[in-house]
């Protein structure tokens, strides 16, 4: 599998493409099969909230929409820079590694 998702929930990522380019935020959900993810408060899309009761009006809300994995870069928690993800094996376990500073990213 080459398109394995390397970004995990809780990671901080930088958007490098699209209308929110240059902004960074925390990943709150990942969709490995679609190669997409959702970042807290970014890539907002309008959604209509259906009324709960018949006498209520539908409400338009802004919610963070899915974004392509290819449009974001991981921000290394150690050097705080956007980086590509490398790998390292330690005690038989595979970890992600920052390609900039070499720090292990858990
Ligand atoms: Zn780093």
């Amino acid at each position: 599998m080459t398109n394995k998702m390397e970004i995990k929930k809780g990671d901080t990522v930088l958007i490098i493409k699209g209308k929110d380019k240059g902004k960074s935020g925390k990943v709150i959900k990942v969709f490995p099969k679609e190669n997409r993810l959702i970042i807290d408060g970014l890539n907002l899309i309008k959604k209509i909230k259906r009324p709960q009761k018949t006498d209520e009006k539908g409400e338009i809300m802004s919610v963070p929409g899915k974004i392509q994995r290819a449009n974001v870069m991981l921000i290394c928690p150690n050097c705080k820079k956007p980086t590509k993800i490398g790998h390292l094996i330690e005690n038989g376990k595979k970890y992600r590694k920052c390609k900039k500073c070499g720090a292990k990213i858990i």
Side-chain angles (χ1 to χ4, degrees):
M1 288 286 278
T2 48
N3 65 343
K4 198 183 159 220
M5 196 87 152
E6 296 161 313
I7 305 264
K8 294 177 184 173
K9 189 178 158 185
D11 283 343
T12 302
V13 295
L14 174 76
I15 298 181
I16 54 169
K17 243 180 178 178
K19 65 181 168 89
D20 278 336
K21 185 178 168 182
K23 292 182 186 172
S24 60
K26 202 173 178 184
V27 176
I28 50 173
K29 211 166 185 186
V30 292
F31 302 87
K33 278 180 191 165
E34 298 173 40
N35 237 339
R36 288 166 192 255
L37 47 97
I38 290 178
I39 306 163
D40 192 22
L42 293 180
N43 194 38
L44 295 175
I45 51 163
K46 297 245 189 286
K47 240 186 183 177
I48 296 165
K49 189 183 168 190
R50 286 176 188 275
Q52 304 296 313
K53 296 176 203 143
T54 46
D55 59 339
E56 273 180 2
K57 277 185 190 166
E59 212 183 312
I60 297 172
M61 307 186 307
S62 285
V63 296
K66 290 178 191 175
I67 190 164
Q68 292 276 0
R69 159 66 183 97
N71 292 355
V72 305
M73 273 185 99
L74 179 73
I75 294 181
C76 170
N78 185 54
C79 66
K80 315 283 181 207
K81 286 176 187 156
T83 182
K84 286 191 173 166
I85 301 166
H87 294 103
L88 80 116
I89 311 271
E90 216 177 73
N91 299 323
K93 268 191 160 182
K94 197 173 174 187
Y95 294 96
R96 298 178 299 167
K97 183 179 88 169
C98 170
K99 281 201 171 175
K100 286 230 167 97
C101 70
K104 186 163 83 180
I105 304 165
I106 297 169

